[in-house]
Amino acid sequence: MKLKNRTVLITGGTSGIGRELARQLLALGNTVIVTGRDPQRLEQTRRDLPGVHAVASDASDPAAIRALREEVVARFPALDTLVNNAGMMRNLKLDQERSLSDLTREVELGLQGPIWMVQQFLPQLRTQAHALIVNVSSGLAFVPFPAAPVYSAAKAGLHAYTRCLRVQLGGTGVRVVELAPPGTETALFRAEFAREMQNEKAMDPAVLVKRAIAAIESGATEIRPGPSNLLYVASRLAPNFMFKQLIKLGQPRTGR
Ligand SMILES: NC(=O)c1ccc[n+]([C@@H]2O[C@H](COP(=O)([O-])OP(=O)(O)OC[C@H]3O[C@@H](n4cnc5c(N)ncnc54)[C@H](OP(=O)(O)O)[C@@H]3O)[C@@H](O)[C@H]2O)c1
């Protein structure tokens, strides 16, 4: 499958990995629609990526997802590719006071959001001969990071859901791909984890996206670049060893 002359919808395409996906997919000759919530970032993305279509939409809100489907399908009837990319990762202490609705925001955005998006957009995707769904999970889907507990749970759930979706859509012409990025140099990686990640290297988003596009074009279904594959393999061969490394990473020591 060539990622060329396609019509691609990317949630959370105004920053980080989503924005880089939009940039590279535009350069390859695709029509690209990105979503995000912040109007200034949407406007900045329109300025920086000429030709991109930027639509305000909250990927964790069912009503917004329904409205997005109406708008996008009407404006872009050739839509054949959905990238569920929008995500957030918080450093959460589970013994601290927090409202129940706030506590599970990563689940709404990172797990329920993609499930709702797929359900809403599947009828459109099934009208296309060769459709594609890309769910962006994480290396943390394979080994949880205790400092980001709800995020890790959401990504493990997204991994499980994506595997099931792939089976159920087998033979329908809708291909299902999971992209599990490793630590990548974006706002998400640094914002809430500045201390924990201060000595940690992260992948350049341009490198990650180039690898992801090449892997999709070569037919891969589960893409685990670099350290993500290490996490995956370790989760099978030495799960406790890798979990202990991630426990340590969440407990920064001075001078580390
Ligand atoms: N960076 C990493 O190390 C890493 C590693 C593994 C996996 N990932 C995954 O990669 C994906 C992209 O992350 P990133 O690192 O590129 O993050 P990022 O730079 O923080 O960008 C997140 C994007 O999502 C949008 N967004 C956030 N909440 C949203 C919502 N409710 N509705 C719609 N859009 C929303 C943001 O725009 P607005 O805030 O304006 O809405 C922004 O465009 C996520 O699924 C993340 O979990 C990242």
Side-chain angles (χ1 to χ4, degrees):
M1 174 184 276
K2 280 280 164 207
L3 292 180
K4 195 180 175 189
N5 297 326
R6 300 184 67 86
T7 303
V8 184
L9 172 63
I10 305 171
T11 64
T14 61
S15 168
I17 295 168
R19 189 188 141 101
E20 182 58 25
L21 265 168
R23 192 184 70 76
Q24 293 194 26
L25 289 173
L26 278 168
L28 289 171
N30 298 283
T31 299
V32 179
I33 307 119
V34 297
T35 72
R37 294 162 306 165
D38 182 62
Q40 284 175 348
R41 279 203 229 181
L42 286 161
E43 190 46 46
Q44 189 64 45
T45 305
R46 283 187 201 105
R47 276 201 294 271
D48 293 348
L49 303 180
V52 81
H53 302 274
V55 179
S57 184
D58 184 338
S60 66
D61 175 358
I65 290 172
R66 279 193 290 271
L68 180 70
R69 196 266 316 268
E70 296 303 314
E71 178 178 349
V72 170
V73 168
R75 283 177 63 194
F76 304 96
L79 181 81
D80 55 11
T81 304
L82 168 64
V83 183
N84 286 308
N85 166 78
M88 62 183 293
M89 175 166 85
R90 290 176 302 167
N91 200 331
L92 290 183
K93 305 279 175 281
L94 296 175
D95 60 354
Q96 284 178 357
E97 194 63 32
R98 201 175 272 277
S99 75
L100 294 181
S101 58
D102 181 64
L103 185 61
T104 50
R105 280 170 60 205
E106 282 99 330
V107 175
E108 278 152 31
L109 179 59
L111 178 56
Q112 294 182 189
I115 294 171
W116 289 328
M117 287 289 292
V118 167
Q119 202 269 347
Q120 287 290 292
F121 281 91
L122 202 48
Q124 162 65 23
L125 295 176
R126 290 195 68 168
T127 65
Q128 305 297 310
H130 301 286
L132 173 66
I133 296 171
V134 180
N135 286 341
V136 180
S137 64
S138 167
L140 300 179
F142 312 122
V143 184
F145 181 31
V150 181
Y151 177 85
S152 298
K155 292 300 187 181
L158 183 62
H159 171 62
Y161 165 77
T162 305
R163 292 180 68 193
C164 297
L165 182 68
R166 185 177 302 123
V167 171
Q168 291 208 10
L169 296 186
T172 64
V174 184
R175 187 175 153 205
V176 178
V177 169
E178 178 177 355
L179 169 61
T184 306
E185 200 55 71
T186 69
L188 175 143
F189 184 75
R190 298 286 172 198
E192 294 229 354
F193 296 88
R195 268 187 344 136
E196 289 82 353
M197 300 304 184
Q198 61 184 328
N199 296 324
E200 299 300 316
K201 289 205 181 76
M203 192 173 275
D204 179 343
V207 172
L208 171 80
V209 168
K210 203 164 172 222
R211 284 201 203 175
I213 288 174
I216 293 170
E217 290 193 332
S218 74
T221 50
E222 204 172 290
I223 305 166
R224 305 182 292 260
S228 280
N229 198 45
L230 195 69
L231 282 171
Y232 175 79
V233 172
S235 74
R236 267 62 189 163
L237 299 180
N240 288 333
F241 171 78
M242 198 43 91
F243 189 41
K244 280 182 191 152
Q245 302 308 305
L246 289 180
I247 293 171
K248 273 193 221 156
L249 187 61
Q251 295 168 338
R253 284 161 284 143
T254 46
R256 202 164 60 96

